[in-house]
PDB file of all heavy atoms in Angstrom:
ATOM      1  N   ASP X   8       3.276  -3.756  -3.288  1.00 98.00           N
ATOM      2  CA  ASP X   8       3.692  -2.694  -2.359  1.00 98.00           C
ATOM      3  C   ASP X   8       5.174  -2.895  -2.041  1.00 98.00           C
ATOM      4  O   ASP X   8       5.773  -3.920  -2.378  1.00 98.00           O
ATOM      5  CB  ASP X   8       2.869  -2.745  -1.061  1.00 98.00           C
ATOM      6  CG  ASP X   8       3.214  -1.611  -0.100  1.00 98.00           C
ATOM      7  OD1 ASP X   8       3.428  -0.473  -0.563  1.00 98.00           O
ATOM      8  OD2 ASP X   8       3.307  -1.854   1.125  1.00 98.00           O
ATOM      9  N   SER X   9       5.755  -1.895  -1.382  1.00 97.00           N
ATOM     10  CA  SER X   9       7.135  -2.024  -0.928  1.00 97.00           C
ATOM     11  C   SER X   9       7.259  -3.078   0.170  1.00 97.00           C
ATOM     12  O   SER X   9       8.301  -3.692   0.338  1.00 97.00           O
ATOM     13  CB  SER X   9       7.619  -0.674  -0.381  1.00 97.00           C
ATOM     14  OG  SER X   9       6.728  -0.228   0.626  1.00 97.00           O
ATOM     15  N   LEU X  38      12.507  -1.472   0.836  1.00 95.00           N
ATOM     16  CA  LEU X  38      11.691  -0.790   1.830  1.00 95.00           C
ATOM     17  C   LEU X  38      12.573   0.142   2.670  1.00 95.00           C
ATOM     18  O   LEU X  38      13.680  -0.289   3.021  1.00 95.00           O
ATOM     19  CB  LEU X  38      11.069  -1.885   2.707  1.00 95.00           C
ATOM     20  CG  LEU X  38      10.093  -1.519   3.783  1.00 95.00           C
ATOM     21  CD1 LEU X  38       8.739  -1.245   3.176  1.00 95.00           C
ATOM     22  CD2 LEU X  38       9.981  -2.676   4.778  1.00 95.00           C
ATOM     23  N   PRO X  39      12.198   1.354   3.057  1.00 96.00           N
ATOM     24  CA  PRO X  39      10.956   2.019   2.688  1.00 96.00           C
ATOM     25  C   PRO X  39      11.094   2.863   1.430  1.00 96.00           C
ATOM     26  O   PRO X  39      12.086   3.562   1.244  1.00 96.00           O
ATOM     27  CB  PRO X  39      10.688   2.923   3.901  1.00 96.00           C
ATOM     28  CG  PRO X  39      12.054   3.289   4.410  1.00 96.00           C
ATOM     29  CD  PRO X  39      12.960   2.128   4.070  1.00 96.00           C
ATOM     30  N   TYR X  40      10.083   2.798   0.582  1.00 96.00           N
ATOM     31  CA  TYR X  40      10.062   3.595  -0.637  1.00 96.00           C
ATOM     32  C   TYR X  40      10.032   5.093  -0.338  1.00 96.00           C
ATOM     33  O   TYR X  40      10.489   5.904  -1.140  1.00 96.00           O
ATOM     34  CB  TYR X  40       8.828   3.236  -1.477  1.00 96.00           C
ATOM     35  CG  TYR X  40       9.003   2.062  -2.414  1.00 96.00           C
ATOM     36  CD1 TYR X  40      10.103   1.222  -2.343  1.00 96.00           C
ATOM     37  CD2 TYR X  40       8.043   1.801  -3.380  1.00 96.00           C
ATOM     38  CE1 TYR X  40      10.236   0.155  -3.218  1.00 96.00           C
ATOM     39  CE2 TYR X  40       8.170   0.748  -4.265  1.00 96.00           C
ATOM     40  CZ  TYR X  40       9.271  -0.080  -4.183  1.00 96.00           C
ATOM     41  OH  TYR X  40       9.393  -1.128  -5.058  1.00 96.00           O
ATOM     42  N   GLY X  41       9.448   5.439   0.807  1.00 93.00           N
ATOM     43  CA  GLY X  41       9.274   6.857   1.143  1.00 93.00           C
ATOM     44  C   GLY X  41      10.581   7.611   1.305  1.00 93.00           C
ATOM     45  O   GLY X  41      10.583   8.843   1.349  1.00 93.00           O
ATOM     46  N   CYS X  72       0.378   1.069  -3.178  1.00 98.00           N
ATOM     47  CA  CYS X  72       1.439   1.856  -2.550  1.00 98.00           C
ATOM     48  C   CYS X  72       1.309   3.276  -3.087  1.00 98.00           C
ATOM     49  O   CYS X  72       1.447   3.500  -4.287  1.00 98.00           O
ATOM     50  CB  CYS X  72       2.795   1.262  -2.939  1.00 98.00           C
ATOM     51  SG  CYS X  72       4.202   2.267  -2.410  1.00 98.00           S
ATOM     52  N   ASN X  73       1.035   4.213  -2.199  1.00 96.00           N
ATOM     53  CA  ASN X  73       0.887   5.609  -2.645  1.00 96.00           C
ATOM     54  C   ASN X  73       2.196   6.149  -3.184  1.00 96.00           C
ATOM     55  O   ASN X  73       2.223   6.891  -4.163  1.00 96.00           O
ATOM     56  CB  ASN X  73       0.434   6.498  -1.481  1.00 96.00           C
ATOM     57  CG  ASN X  73      -1.001   6.243  -1.070  1.00 96.00           C
ATOM     58  OD1 ASN X  73      -1.921   6.901  -1.535  1.00 96.00           O
ATOM     59  ND2 ASN X  73      -1.196   5.260  -0.204  1.00 96.00           N
ATOM     60  N   THR X  74       3.296   5.791  -2.545  1.00 95.00           N
ATOM     61  CA  THR X  74       4.594   6.342  -2.934  1.00 95.00           C
ATOM     62  C   THR X  74       4.956   5.924  -4.353  1.00 95.00           C
ATOM     63  O   THR X  74       5.513   6.713  -5.116  1.00 95.00           O
ATOM     64  CB  THR X  74       5.675   5.880  -1.933  1.00 95.00           C
ATOM     65  OG1 THR X  74       5.204   6.155  -0.600  1.00 95.00           O
ATOM     66  CG2 THR X  74       6.980   6.601  -2.153  1.00 95.00           C
ATOM     67  N   THR X 115       4.063   9.144   3.406  1.00 96.00           N
ATOM     68  CA  THR X 115       5.516   9.059   3.495  1.00 96.00           C
ATOM     69  C   THR X 115       6.104  10.429   3.132  1.00 96.00           C
ATOM     70  O   THR X 115       5.429  11.251   2.502  1.00 96.00           O
ATOM     71  CB  THR X 115       6.078   8.002   2.520  1.00 96.00           C
ATOM     72  OG1 THR X 115       5.783   8.404   1.185  1.00 96.00           O
ATOM     73  CG2 THR X 115       5.501   6.621   2.803  1.00 96.00           C
ATOM     74  N   VAL X 146       5.644   3.602   8.933  1.00 97.00           N
ATOM     75  CA  VAL X 146       5.906   2.478   8.029  1.00 97.00           C
ATOM     76  C   VAL X 146       6.644   1.383   8.811  1.00 97.00           C
ATOM     77  O   VAL X 146       6.260   0.208   8.796  1.00 97.00           O
ATOM     78  CB  VAL X 146       6.738   2.917   6.801  1.00 97.00           C
ATOM     79  CG1 VAL X 146       7.117   1.712   5.937  1.00 97.00           C
ATOM     80  CG2 VAL X 146       5.975   3.956   5.974  1.00 97.00           C
ATOM     81  N   CYS X 186      -0.776   6.502   2.891  1.00 98.00           N
ATOM     82  CA  CYS X 186       0.227   5.447   2.803  1.00 98.00           C
ATOM     83  C   CYS X 186      -0.488   4.172   3.214  1.00 98.00           C
ATOM     84  O   CYS X 186      -1.184   4.151   4.243  1.00 98.00           O
ATOM     85  CB  CYS X 186       1.397   5.723   3.754  1.00 98.00           C
ATOM     86  SG  CYS X 186       2.528   4.321   3.908  1.00 98.00           S
ATOM     87  N   THR X 187      -0.352   3.131   2.418  1.00 98.00           N
ATOM     88  CA  THR X 187      -1.139   1.921   2.673  1.00 98.00           C
ATOM     89  C   THR X 187      -0.700   1.169   3.931  1.00 98.00           C
ATOM     90  O   THR X 187      -1.427   0.311   4.422  1.00 98.00           O
ATOM     91  CB  THR X 187      -1.080   0.973   1.458  1.00 98.00           C
ATOM     92  OG1 THR X 187       0.300   0.745   1.109  1.00 98.00           O
ATOM     93  CG2 THR X 187      -1.821   1.576   0.279  1.00 98.00           C
ATOM     94  N   HIS X 188       0.478   1.492   4.448  1.00 98.00           N
ATOM     95  CA  HIS X 188       0.881   0.885   5.719  1.00 98.00           C
ATOM     96  C   HIS X 188       0.018   1.386   6.887  1.00 98.00           C
ATOM     97  O   HIS X 188      -0.158   0.673   7.877  1.00 98.00           O
ATOM     98  CB  HIS X 188       2.339   1.223   6.053  1.00 98.00           C
ATOM     99  CG  HIS X 188       3.347   0.352   5.357  1.00 98.00           C
ATOM    100  ND1 HIS X 188       3.663   0.481   4.034  1.00 98.00           N
ATOM    101  CD2 HIS X 188       4.123  -0.670   5.842  1.00 98.00           C
ATOM    102  CE1 HIS X 188       4.597  -0.412   3.710  1.00 98.00           C
ATOM    103  NE2 HIS X 188       4.887  -1.119   4.792  1.00 98.00           N
TER     104      HIS X 188
HETATM  105  N1  DGL K   1       3.045   1.540   1.576  1.00 96.34           N
HETATM  106  C1  DGL K   1       3.677   2.585   0.864  1.00 96.34           C
HETATM  107  C2  DGL K   1       2.775   3.742   0.540  1.00 96.34           C
HETATM  108  O1  DGL K   1       1.581   3.565   0.431  1.00 96.34           O
HETATM  109  C3  DGL K   1       5.068   3.000   1.121  1.00 96.34           C
HETATM  110  C4  DGL K   1       5.778   2.790   2.378  1.00 96.34           C
HETATM  111  C5  DGL K   1       7.276   2.929   2.137  1.00 96.34           C
HETATM  112  O2  DGL K   1       7.843   1.983   1.603  1.00 96.34           O
HETATM  113  O3  DGL K   1       7.823   3.991   2.443  1.00 96.34           O
HETATM  114  O4  DGL K   1       3.209   4.835   0.351  1.00 96.34           O
END
Side-chain angles (χ1 to χ4, degrees):
D8 183 40
S9 55
L38 184 78
Y40 274 11
C72 172
N73 289 267
T74 310
T115 63
V146 175
C186 170
T187 53
H188 278 75

